[in-house]
Amino acid sequence: MAGLWLGLGAAFGLLGVAAGAFGAHALRGRLSEELMAVFRTAVEYQFYHVAALLAVGLLARQAPGPWLSASGIGFAFGVAVFSGSLYILALSGVRAWGAVTPIGGLALMVGWLCLIVHVARL
């Protein structure tokens, strides 16, 4: 599982750099300041959880376990849904996507909770 989490972390990192550059250059002046802030939030949270996924991958090499795997799933799903819904909202302007975002946020929190449980059980 270590390779999966490291690979996902690296892939989300690559996509985060691409999204950040796209937002800074291609979207400047095309989106309202409010939607640019939404886009920036998506990039920011994606990068926080890139670091979390990389940490899960490194920890999985030394101390694998079901709680750690659940943590990786929470982080990966959470990034896709939280940041993904914010990207779609910012680019489309369709506010209904904001209703999806908390599902991703909950998944991110579950990821952190599972990581806490895993570490506490070491």
Side-chain angles (χ1 to χ4, degrees):
M1 294 300 288
L4 173 65
W5 306 130
L6 292 169
L8 278 173
F12 281 143
L14 171 68
L15 294 172
V17 171
F22 178 71
H25 301 290
L27 296 180
R28 189 180 330 165
R30 294 179 188 222
L31 295 183
S32 68
E33 191 52 44
E34 178 188 0
L35 290 178
M36 279 301 297
V38 168
F39 195 89
R40 283 188 209 106
T41 298
V43 172
E44 185 177 330
Y45 274 76
Q46 182 169 338
F47 272 115
Y48 293 151
H49 293 89
V50 162
L53 278 167
L54 294 174
V56 166
L58 293 174
L59 188 55
R61 290 178 155 189
Q62 300 300 316
W67 287 101
L68 189 61
S69 293
S71 178
I73 291 167
F75 292 146
F77 180 79
V79 167
V81 175
F82 182 87
S83 292
S85 65
L86 290 180
Y87 289 134
I88 294 170
L89 188 159
L91 295 172
S92 70
V94 177
R95 302 280 179 196
W97 282 101
V100 176
T101 307
I103 297 166
L106 181 60
L108 294 172
M109 288 187 281
V110 167
W112 287 109
L113 179 61
C114 290
L115 184 57
I116 290 167
V117 172
H118 177 77
V119 170
R121 294 174 63 126
L122 290 179

